[in-house]
Amino acid sequence: MKLGVVGLPNVGKSTLFNAITNAGVQAANYPFCTIEPNTGVVAVPDERITQLAIMYHPKKATHATIEFLDIAGLVKGASRGEGLGNKFLSHIREVDAIVHVVRCFEDDNVVHVDGSVDPVRDMETINLELIYADMDTVQRRGEKASKMIKTGDPRCAEEAALAQRVFDHLEQNNPARTFAANKEELETIKGWFLLTMKPVIYAANIGEGDLGRDENDLPMVGLVRAAARREEAETLVISAQIEQEIASLEGEEKAEFLRELGIGESGLDRLVKTCYRLLGLISFLTVGDDECRAWTITRGTKAPQAAGKIHTDFERGFIRAEVVPFDTLIALGNMAACREKGLIRSEGKEYVMQDGDVTLFRFNV
């Protein structure tokens, strides 16, 4: 899973990226400090892997990973190539979802590219640039399909008509993901790789002193949530500065700091959970003396395709999957006890994997 961290200059984008990846990226108080996207690979927090490692004492414990891209700050005109806009748009096409950092704090020492703090205006600035880029893409797709109508293929006329409807939707400043499409139309639109089809999480970046306060006392956060709901996006309230402090701590010291803040878990943990839900992802688990590991798959994946995540031979020669839920394994203490009680299920090719399935794949090639 690859997430692009975007936002206007000086909204806390690189500060948040530093915190969640501990990558030490420069976070300077001027636009375009970030030009090429910085990349950080982060282990997905999963307490289940920790528990399995205690049970099995493997040579290594491997979490699923997420790749974060810190993409250059955007300004008006990016869809026309201004302010590194072309680079911004090309990098954002590579990601599975967008984490859009929005400034929800006042600080006279941190300049704002537009001279004042207005989160909804900032959201619109970036969204409009993405919409303009998509309008150009859809227009070209429609023109190409229209030229092909003379071949007699009815699909060309259908695609041309669909492109016009999507263009009209975008022209009303609506993202493509809010376009009402049937299953066949959705598949066509996905093939256009539109920027505004990507799922979005708005990270409402609040000041250090605002963390833990009732959101009713944070009007800018309320504005972000309302705007996000209108465009079918998620909102995550976070303090980039506090996340940097959390990232510098480990173990009990980190846990104690989280308790003092009254937030229970770090912004990274909440961000990962939100991303998994937004993208429809789950994890299945494999165990053994060599390795305990989490594997990320799309919800609804069947057992052979899940096996293929480990190795293509596993999918090609799939025989069956031996499955026990994680909670059952932990409750009984080991696989032998689960087997003795008949709680390890033998599942075939049509089995749909569930989150937390501890799985052994049987295959023959």
Side-chain angles (χ1 to χ4, degrees):
M1 178 165 59
K2 185 181 290 188
L3 304 178
V5 184
V6 307
L8 290 173
N10 302 335
V11 297
K13 176 174 60 66
S14 292
T15 301
L16 179 60
F17 176 84
N18 289 346
I20 59 182
T21 65
N22 235 350
V25 176
Q26 185 180 14
N29 184 19
Y30 58 90
F32 310 125
C33 171
T34 308
I35 298 176
E36 293 298 332
N38 298 287
T39 301
V41 178
V42 176
V44 174
D46 194 335
E47 183 61 27
R48 297 174 300 190
I49 291 297
T50 304
Q51 292 180 256
L52 290 173
I54 293 171
M55 179 183 294
Y56 279 87
H57 304 289
K59 294 176 182 175
K60 61 178 179 176
T62 307
H63 290 248
T65 59
I66 295 179
E67 184 176 350
F68 285 92
L69 269 68
D70 179 25
I71 300 173
L74 186 69
V75 293
K76 292 176 182 176
S79 59
R80 302 187 301 275
E82 295 179 20
L84 306 173
N86 289 331
K87 284 191 175 184
F88 174 93
L89 297 174
S90 66
H91 293 315
I92 208 171
R93 290 189 195 281
E94 302 172 11
V95 304
D96 300 304
I98 298 167
V99 179
H100 182 164
V101 183
V102 184
R103 179 171 168 177
C104 293
F105 65 90
E106 298 279 1
D107 188 337
D108 293 338
N109 296 317
V110 181
V111 299
H112 190 288
V113 70
D114 286 328
S116 63
V117 179
D118 183 339
V120 174
R121 179 201 59 207
D122 294 354
M123 293 164 72
E124 290 175 349
T125 296
I126 287 187
N127 289 338
L128 286 175
E129 295 306 323
L130 301 184
I131 286 170
Y132 294 154
D134 280 350
M135 287 173 65
D136 183 56
T137 298
V138 171
Q139 186 173 36
R140 284 186 278 109
R141 286 284 185 169
E143 290 172 352
K144 181 179 180 181
S146 295
K147 290 177 182 177
M148 296 296 290
I149 291 176
K150 59 186 177 184
T151 64
D153 187 342
R155 291 174 298 182
C156 296
E158 291 170 1
E159 183 169 358
L162 176 61
Q164 184 60 56
R165 287 167 51 212
V166 175
F167 184 90
D168 293 343
H169 180 79
L170 293 167
E171 199 171 30
Q172 297 301 312
N173 295 340
N174 298 311
R177 62 181 171 276
T178 63
F179 178 76
N182 61 37
K183 187 176 180 180
E184 290 75 18
E185 291 172 337
L186 188 58
E187 286 303 309
T188 299
I189 294 169
K190 284 181 179 178
W192 298 344
F193 303 104
L194 301 180
L195 299 172
T196 61
M197 278 294 287
K198 296 180 183 295
V200 174
I201 299 169
Y202 286 104
N205 185 18
I206 61 176
E208 296 178 61
D210 291 332
L211 198 65
R213 290 178 60 189
D214 190 304
E215 285 193 18
N216 292 325
D217 297 327
L218 302 173
M220 284 192 280
V221 172
L223 292 172
V224 171
R225 284 199 185 279
R229 279 195 297 270
R230 288 194 294 271
E231 58 174 88
E232 299 179 10
E234 296 264 359
T235 304
L236 182 73
V237 181
I238 201 165
S239 171
Q241 288 292 343
I242 291 292
E243 289 302 318
Q244 276 203 315
E245 293 183 44
I246 294 172
S248 67
L249 305 174
E250 294 182 1
E252 182 54 36
E253 189 181 15
K254 178 178 178 180
E256 177 62 27
F257 186 55
L258 290 172
R259 283 193 293 270
E260 289 176 3
L261 292 171
I263 57 176
E265 57 185 352
S266 72
L268 173 60
D269 290 354
R270 292 183 291 119
L271 178 59
V272 168
K273 288 177 182 177
T274 303
C275 290
Y276 265 60
R277 183 175 68 253
L278 197 61
L279 295 173
L281 301 176
I282 60 172
S283 293
F284 72 91
L285 312 165
T286 55
V287 297
D289 295 334
D290 286 333
E291 183 180 36
C292 292
R293 181 164 180 168
W295 303 84
T296 300
I297 55 174
T298 303
R299 188 177 297 279
T301 298
K302 293 183 178 180
Q305 287 69 52
K309 288 283 290 185
I310 300 174
H311 197 287
T312 53
D313 285 349
F314 284 28
E315 180 176 359
R316 186 160 54 90
F318 179 88
I319 299 173
R320 67 180 183 275
E322 296 180 359
V323 179
V324 62
F326 169 80
D327 290 341
T328 302
L329 175 59
I330 293 299
L332 294 183
N334 56 58
M335 280 289 196
C338 294
R339 196 176 299 279
E340 184 178 316
K341 291 184 177 294
L343 296 176
I344 298 180
R345 307 190 312 272
S346 181
E347 302 287 0
K349 293 182 178 180
E350 294 304 309
Y351 176 68
V352 176
M353 300 292 292
Q354 301 299 308
D355 187 50
D357 277 349
V358 181
T359 311
L360 173 64
F361 293 106
R362 301 292 186 183
F363 68 102
N364 182 36
V365 291

